Amino acid sequence: MEWFTTAPDALGLHAILALWAVVAISAVFRGFTGFGFAITAVPLLSLVVSPVRAVALATGLQIVGGLVDVRSAARHCHWPSIRWLVCGVVVTSPIGALILTWVSADVARLLVSAACAAAVAALSLGLAFRRMPGAAGTVAMGGLAGLFSGLAAMPGPPAIVYYLASPLSPVQVRSSLIVFFLFAAMAAGISLSLTGALGRMEALLALVGLPIMIAGSALGAFLFRRLGGAHRRVSLVTLALVALLTAAKGLAGLL
């Protein structure tokens, strides 16, 4: 098992192939739902490289993949909500990071997990907006995403709930999530670069994985066009899985 290594210069052929396999699977999922790349990629990449490098690599791939997809997604996404969501994220991400200095990371994960579980339950029971929320409500949801980002590096669940509960079509929901996660990944990329976690090696690995990311996303998009009616169901199952895995990680750290 020595090829499962964290050393930058010691990644052997088997490790590279494992990385490519993870990227391919996660990219197909992202291409179908518009989100979920990091949710699936980070835990699996952490089996091959260090957790910090896994996050950095997933972030780099989300950035380059998002830049490839943003042109087509921009035609269908709901730009007014994107702008207000991002505003909320920018304002509250530092607050979430500050709260993290008062509570343990594992407690924060349990809080995020509980919020995700409540959201899944509400959506499953038919929670839906009759019309798109106004600026104040959207900024508030973006603010919640920012708190999640600061607490657990997970800005996605509030945005996913927001769009799944919206009256937008599945095409608009998927496109809006692709654009939102591009902005979220770029913000995370800046932070990771400043801390040195996203460096030359991570950028190189992301570029090497880019063709697989593009191909996997294209396959996922093809499946969406054929099976778009399953988008909401798959998204809800994914959100439930996030709640379960996050709670398991939080409990494991506390016990």
Side-chain angles (χ1 to χ4, degrees), residues 46-75:
S46 297
L47 298 175
V48 186
V49 297
S50 69
V52 173
R53 173 161 287 169
V55 171
L57 181 56
T59 299
L61 283 166
Q62 284 192 106
I63 292 172
V64 293
L67 290 173
V68 170
D69 293 337
V70 70
R71 184 174 180 180
S72 59
R75 295 199 298 266

Side-chain angles (χ1 to χ4, degrees), residues 22 25-27 29-30 35-45 238 241:
V22 170
I25 294 170
S26 303
F29 188 78
R30 171 189 173 275
F35 68 94
F37 182 81
I39 292 171
T40 54
V42 171
L44 295 175
L45 289 173
T238 303
L241 184 61

Side-chain angles (χ1 to χ4, degrees), residues 10-23:
L11 286 176
L13 177 60
H14 292 89
I16 295 294
L17 292 176
L19 288 174
W20 283 350
V22 170
V23 171

Side-chain angles (χ1 to χ4, degrees), residues 221-248:
F222 170 78
L223 293 174
F224 174 79
R225 290 192 294 270
R226 300 294 296 270
L227 306 169
H231 182 269
R232 180 183 175 86
R233 185 165 60 253
V234 172
S235 299
L236 283 176
V237 169
T238 303
L239 199 57
L241 184 61
V242 171
L244 180 62
L245 294 178
T246 305

Side-chain angles (χ1 to χ4, degrees), residues 21-215:
V22 170
V23 171
I25 294 170
S26 303
V28 171
F29 188 78
R30 171 189 173 275
F32 182 84
T33 62
F35 68 94
F37 182 81
I39 292 171
T40 54
V42 171
L44 295 175
L45 289 173
S46 297
L47 298 175
V48 186
V49 297
S50 69
V52 173
R53 173 161 287 169
V55 171
L57 181 56
T59 299
L61 283 166
Q62 284 192 106
I63 292 172
V64 293
L67 290 173
V68 170
D69 293 337
V70 70
R71 184 174 180 180
S72 59
R75 295 199 298 266
H76 303 290
C77 81
H78 189 260
W79 280 106
S81 61
I82 292 290
R83 287 193 287 267
W84 291 120
L85 282 174
V86 171
C87 286
V89 170
V90 170
V91 170
T92 60
S93 288
I95 299 175
L98 181 62
I99 295 174
L100 190 58
T101 64
W102 300 335
V103 301
S104 72
D106 293 313
V107 170
R109 292 188 183 100
L110 290 177
L111 292 174
V112 170
S113 173
C116 289
V120 170
L123 288 169
S124 299
L125 292 173
L127 172 68
F129 305 138
R130 293 184 179 180
R131 57 180 181 274
M132 292 299 293
T138 304
V139 169
M141 190 62 78
L144 187 58
L147 289 176
F148 276 39
S149 178
L151 280 170
M154 293 174 57
I160 295 168
V161 170
Y162 175 90
Y163 283 115
L164 289 181
S166 75
L168 299 177
S169 70
V171 171
Q172 290 174 300
V173 168
R174 175 180 174 275
S175 297
S176 298
L177 286 170
I178 287 175
V179 175
F180 172 79
F181 278 104
L182 171 60
F183 283 117
M186 291 173 70
I190 293 172
S191 299
L192 290 168
S193 298
L194 291 175
T195 60
L198 182 56
R200 183 172 59 183
M201 176 56 68
E202 290 73 27
L204 178 60
L205 288 172
L207 288 175
V208 170
L210 179 58
I212 298 173
M213 178 76 166
I214 294 173

